[in-house]
Amino acid sequence: MFGLKKFFSAKEQQNIEHDRKVEVAPANQGEKFPIGYDEHLIGRLKDDHGELVRLFTSVIRHAENKRFTKAITELSAFRTLLTNHLITENTKLYIYLNYAYKKDSSTAEMVGHFRKEMSQIGKSVMSFIQDYVRSGITVENQHAFLRQAREIAGILVNRIETEEQRLYEIYDFSLAMDAHA
């Protein structure tokens, strides 16, 4: 999606195959899912990803060109969108996946790992944003800001690619498995 090629090890390929074959805890066995499957959720999350990348790229471009006020404005917009995106993932995606795969310990463990990792990334990114929104970007700290921003951009792009290639596929697959249960 972003021009970066993802290399999967043999173990990752096995995990992908396992994800495609796993049985989902069916909702029709006397229990209801705490939250329903949302056929538009993944599309909305992917749209968020595109906008998050666009905003963060704009932040970096403005900072490179010493348009610091615009960079901070875009950084604030990025923070708002990222916050909303993380809330949606936590309240819709992860709750559904935790329930759907509760009988498959390896997939449930992987979903938990994704959630924990994103929480850590989110905290780091929010701390970075808070620091620069509070102190501003200046000529004096421009290089440090750009170094950190480029590092964060790389982490976010890798995370986005992984979510879209693995986690979102698991979500979509859960509906197909539930329909055949």
Side-chain angles (χ1 to χ4, degrees):
M1 175 177 179
F2 300 101
L4 297 178
K5 190 173 184 176
K6 179 77 174 160
F7 174 78
F8 287 112
S9 68
K11 181 68 175 165
E12 287 171 319
Q13 288 296 338
Q14 288 174 342
N15 289 340
I16 290 169
E17 286 305 312
H18 175 268
D19 295 344
R20 290 186 179 130
K21 294 177 184 172
V22 71
E23 285 199 34
V24 176
N28 59 1
Q29 290 184 347
E31 294 182 52
K32 287 193 167 225
F33 274 50
I35 187 167
Y37 179 88
D38 179 349
E39 66 185 85
H40 303 290
L41 177 63
I42 300 305
R44 286 193 311 268
L45 293 173
K46 286 182 176 181
D47 288 346
D48 285 354
H49 286 165
E51 183 63 9
L52 286 164
V53 168
R54 187 199 67 74
L55 279 169
F56 208 74
T57 301
S58 178
V59 168
I60 291 171
R61 190 174 57 251
H62 288 310
E64 287 170 339
N65 294 311
K66 295 183 175 54
R67 294 188 302 257
F68 303 131
T69 302
K70 285 187 177 194
I72 292 297
T73 300
E74 294 282 274
L75 193 59
S76 294
F78 175 85
R79 174 180 53 195
T80 300
L81 180 58
L82 181 60
T83 299
N84 292 335
H85 179 81
L86 295 175
I87 289 169
T88 299
E89 281 188 343
N90 280 318
T91 60
K92 294 185 182 257
L93 179 70
Y94 289 117
I95 288 173
Y96 180 88
L97 289 175
N98 285 334
Y99 187 82
Y101 290 96
K102 71 181 180 181
K103 293 182 181 178
D104 175 15
S105 61
S106 63
T107 301
E109 183 180 327
M110 183 180 66
V111 168
H113 173 75
F114 271 105
R115 189 176 199 171
K116 182 179 179 183
E117 181 183 70
M118 192 62 237
S119 177
Q120 293 168 342
I121 292 170
K123 286 177 186 174
S124 295
V125 171
M126 292 301 182
S127 176
F128 164 80
I129 293 169
Q130 182 68 22
D131 289 348
Y132 283 101
V133 166
R134 190 175 341 114
S135 68
I137 306 167
T138 64
V139 172
E140 292 79 22
N141 67 13
Q142 177 189 25
H143 292 292
F145 173 84
L146 288 170
R147 181 182 43 77
Q148 293 171 348
R150 288 179 183 124
E151 182 179 327
I152 288 170
I155 291 167
L156 290 175
V157 166
N158 286 333
R159 174 59 188 217
I160 287 168
E161 287 179 345
T162 302
E163 280 186 1
E164 291 184 2
Q165 293 170 358
R166 301 282 315 277
L167 192 62
Y168 295 175
E169 291 295 320
I170 293 170
Y171 182 83
D172 284 338
F173 184 73
S174 72
L175 180 64
M177 290 303 298
D178 187 42
H180 290 86

